[in-house]
Amino acid sequence: MGKTAVLSGPASDLCRSLFARYYRETPLPAPRHPEMREYALFPFDAPGMRRHMGFPSPERLRETLGSQVPRHVYYSSAYYARPDHPSMKLKGWQGADVIFDLDADHLRKAETMDYPAQLRLVRDRFRLLLDEYLFGDFGLDEREVTLAFSGGRGYHAHIHDAAYLGLRSDERRELVEFVMGIGFDPALEAMHEEGVEGTAPGAESGPYGEPKASGRPGRPLPTHRLYGPTDPGWRGRFARSLYRFLARWEKMPAEAVAQEIVSTAGLPPPRARAMARALVEEGMARRIRESGSLEVLTPSLRKEFLSAVASTVAVEVQGETDAPVTTDIHRLIRLPGSLHGGTGFRVRPLARGELDGFDPWTDALFPSVPGSSLRVRIRAPVDYPMDGGLRAAAGETVDLSEGAALFLLLRGEAELPG
Amino acid sequence: MAVRGTPVVGSATLAARYPFLPGAARWIEGISLNLEELLESPAYAPARALGRDRVRVAVQDPSGESIPPGLETAPEVDRILSFVYARFLVSLPPDLALARRWCVAEAKAAWKSLTRRDASPEETVALAREMGYEVAEGSSGTHRGSLVSFSLPSYLRLSAPLREAKFRLIHQLVQKGRVELPWKDAARVLQEGIRAHLLASVPVAMDASLASRLRDREGTLLETLVAGLPAGSARGPGAFDARGLPPCMREMRQMLERGENLSHFGRFSLAAFLHKAGADREYIVDSYRGAPDFDEGITRYQVDHILQHDGGKGYTPPDCASLQANGLCFRERDDSRPSLCADPALHSPWNYYRRRRKALGAPEPPTPSGTST
C-alpha cells in the first residue's frame, strides 16, 4: 500500500473536501458482482482500516464513500456469500479474480529512477506482462480482464474469466512462476535432439533473424538444434529473444558485447571477452542464427553460452509481478475508480488500447474544476510533469491546479501557506 | 480438433471401466437400482464379492497393478455395482485412511486402463470431459505422437497437486490458453484428477439403518482390512530435532500425514533431508505411513537405498532452487518472527535447519555414520 504522509489541520480538511466532492460527483464503475465483495475503507483522520464491509448495491457503496470520505478504498478480489461477516472462515468464499499487480517496487533498476521515470518503466513492463503472457500465452479475452492504473506506482490486471475464479493458491502460483520464468532452464530446454522436432534450416531469415524452414523433407537437422521462435511457451519466447540478441550483437564491437555479458550474466571479464570474441569476431553469433543450432560452438563454449549468455536473454523476456498478490485468494486491492490517498491520482480503469498513450500525469490526475487554483508552499524541491511542467524550489509558494496541489499535499511535499 | 465419433462414456462398457464417472451414475439410475437390493439381494452377491475384492486389493497393493480376480471378465453390471459397493465399504470406518488408499488404487487402475494397448486418446479426452475438464484432442503427427490439449485452468487444476517438475506449467507447451501434452502424460495428470474426484466422493452419505446393517454384515472384513493398513507412528526422532525443520520439509511431512499425495521428488527430498538431519531409519520410514499408497516393503527398500548411498552418507538433500523448481518451496508464513526463508543468503533447507537449531540452543546437528562434513 506504500507510505502515506500523515495529514492534519487545514491541509487534511482541504484534501478531505476534495475527495468528498469527487465521490459525490463521480459515478464509479462497479466491480463485477459488487454485492459479493468485501470492502475496506481507510479514514483520513485515524490510522488503520475499517474492513468486513459489504454493500448490496453500487449505489449504497457510493453513498458510503460520499458520507465517510475515506482516504483509500479497497475491495476483495474474492466473491463471498457473506462479504460483511467478520470471520474470514464464515464469509463463504465463492471464488476470486486472479490479480496481477506490477509495481515499480518490484522492477529491476527502478530504485535508481525518479517517480516519473518509474511510472514510464512500469507501464512498459506491464505492457509486456499483458501482451506476452495474459493476452499471449494465456489467451485471455480482453473483455475478461479489467486493467487499472493503481494510482501509486503500478498497474493491476483483474482476471474475472469464470474458468479462473475457482483456482486455488498453488494453482495461481503456477501462473506467477510461468510469467516470471521460474524453473526454466535454457541448458535443458532451449534445444532438442537431432531431427526430431522443429523446422529444418534454410538460407533465408525469418522475422527474428532465425533460419526459415527449407520445406525440403528429409534434410538432416544439426544436433543441439534450438527451438524456433514460433514454438509455444517459454521455448519459443527464449528463442525469439536469443535471435534478437544475436542479431544485435553481430553489429556491435566485441568489447561492448563482453561488457554486456559481464553486467547482465556476471561472467568473469576474461571469459566474457572470450565468449564475445567467438560470437562476434569469429562469426559464431551469425552462424548460430543461420543454422538454428549451437553445434557450431565447442562443447565447453556451448555450456558456458547456455549457462551465462542465456540468462541475459531470459531476463529480457521475463515477466514481473508481485507474486503474493496473485497467489492470495482473499486479497484486498484498490477499487478501480477510487482515489489513491497517497497521490490523489484516480485508480484509473484502462482498456488495453489506451495503455500505450496513457499518461498518469494528465489521464489520472485528480479532476480539477477548470480555472480553479490552490496556493501551496513547497517543502522540498519538486520536478513533476503536471500542470504543463512543475518545477519549484523548497520554500517557494506556487499556485497550482487542484490536482497538482492535492498530489503534493498528500505526499507531504507541500503545505498550505500561513 | 474435435473428438471423433460420439463420446461413449455413457455406455455400459465405459461405465464399467470408469465407474466413478457421472455417466456411470446415470447408467445406474437407468437400471433403477435400489440400494437395499444391492446390499441384500442374492442377485447382487457377485457384485458385492467383487466390491470386497476391490477394497482388499487396494489395501494389499495400492499401485493399481493388481486387479481383483474376476473383475475384468465379470459382467459389466457387476463391475459397476462392485465399485458402488466398495465405496460404501470404505465409507464405514471412522477415519478415511482406508478410503484414501482405495482412491489411489482406483485412480492408478484407471490410468492403466486409459493407457492400455488398445486405448486411444479419444477415450482420455472423453473421460476428462465427462469429469468436467475442458479438453480436446491436440495437434497430431509429431514425433511425440498424439497430443491432448487442456484449457489452461483445467491443466492447472489437474497438475498443481502433482508437484512434479515435469508437469509444472513453465515446462509446458502453452499457447493461446491451451496446454498440449503427450497423450500418456495427459492420462497421468488425469489420474490425479480421478484420485481427487474419488476422495471428494467419500464418505458416502448413508442413512443410519443402512450403515448399521452394512457394518453388521461387513464388520469383520473391515476390521481385517483396517488392521492391514500400514500403521501410523509417533516414534521419537532420536537425535534429530523436529523443531528445526524448515517449512518445506514440515509441509511435506504434513502432506503425507494428511494422506495427500507427494511427488517422487518430494519423497526423495524428505528422506534425504531427514537422514542428513540425523533421523534414524525407522523415523524416516514412519514419515511415509500416511501416504495413500504406502507400502512398507517398497518404502523400506527406497529409504535404504537413499540412506546407504555413498557409503552411508546418503544423498545430498536438494537446495531451495530445486525445491522451488519442483513446486515444493513452502515459504515460512509465521509473521511472529523474521522469516529465515527470506534471507537471500539461505540457499538450502539444510542451512535453515542448522540456523534454527542454533537459535534454539541445540548443538550442531549430528551427521549420519559414514558422513564427512
Side-chain angles (χ1 to χ4, degrees), chain A residues 236-292:
Chain A
R237 175 171 302 107
F238 179 79
R240 289 192 291 278
S241 185
L242 178 64
Y243 284 120
R244 275 198 300 268
F245 266 78
L246 292 172
R248 189 164 62 79
W249 283 345
E250 281 174 45
K251 297 172 191 142
M252 289 167 59
E255 189 55 35
V257 172
Q259 278 172 12
E260 198 171 304
I261 293 173
V262 170
S263 68
T264 53
L267 209 61
R271 295 301 309 153
R273 275 195 291 275
M275 174 77 70
R277 272 199 302 276
L279 289 171
V280 180
E281 292 170 3
E282 294 167 29
M284 293 300 180
R286 180 180 52 78
R287 288 169 64 188
I288 293 169
R289 202 167 51 75
E290 288 178 355
S291 67

Side-chain angles (χ1 to χ4, degrees), chain A residues 135-139 163-164 167-168 170-171 174-175 177-178 181-184 189 196-197 230 232-235, chain B residues 143-144 152-153 156-157 159-161 163 167-178 324-325 327 329 333:
Chain A
F135 299 135
D137 284 347
F138 299 170
Y164 285 77
L167 292 180
R168 297 189 312 257
D170 55 343
E171 294 158 355
E174 286 288 292
L175 293 173
E177 295 190 350
F178 184 89
I182 295 171
F184 179 76
E189 299 179 73
V196 292
E197 206 176 345
T230 55
W234 263 87
R235 293 169 178 177
Chain B
H143 75 289
R144 304 196 310 163
L152 181 53
L156 293 174
R157 282 163 56 202
S159 66
R163 300 194 182 285
F167 293 112
R168 297 217 29 233
L169 189 64
I170 188 80
H171 304 305
Q172 305 310 317
L173 305 179
V174 184
Q175 198 164 36
K176 289 281 166 205
R178 307 293 306 184
Q324 196 170 54
C329 171
R333 294 196 178 94

Side-chain angles (χ1 to χ4, degrees), chain A residues 2-51:
Chain A
K3 287 180 187 167
T4 300
V6 176
L7 286 175
S8 59
S12 177
D13 294 343
L14 174 66
C15 293
R16 195 169 185 279
S17 71
L18 291 171
F19 272 50
R21 187 181 81 204
Y22 176 84
Y23 285 123
R24 275 199 313 271
E25 296 178 356
T26 313
L28 296 187
R32 293 212 177 179
H33 299 290
E35 74 288 357
M36 298 178 76
R37 312 285 192 156
E38 178 198 352
Y39 296 84
L41 310 184
F42 288 68
F44 258 94
D45 48 8
M49 65 172 159
R50 186 176 164 213
R51 63 177 299 184

Side-chain angles (χ1 to χ4, degrees), chain B residues 240-258 260 262 266 269-271 273-274 283 287 323 328-341 349-350 352-353 356-357 360:
Chain B
F240 160 71
D241 187 349
R243 294 174 303 163
L245 274 181
C248 47
M249 296 299 156
R250 266 202 313 269
E251 177 64 21
M252 281 189 251
R253 287 191 69 210
Q254 285 164 4
M255 284 172 76
L256 291 167
E257 282 169 12
R258 291 195 296 263
E260 293 173 16
L262 181 64
S269 304
L270 183 62
F273 180 89
L274 291 174
Y283 181 80
S287 297
L323 289 166
L328 291 165
C329 171
F330 304 97
R331 289 192 154 218
E332 204 146 36
R333 294 196 178 94
D334 180 1
D335 294 332
S336 63
R337 62 167 188 249
S339 170
L340 276 181
C341 292
W350 178 246
Y352 180 104
Y353 181 68
R356 281 290 296 148
R357 278 183 55 103
L360 291 164

Side-chain angles (χ1 to χ4, degrees), chain B residues 358-369:
Chain B
K358 199 173 174 185
L360 291 164
E364 273 288 287
T367 49
S369 58

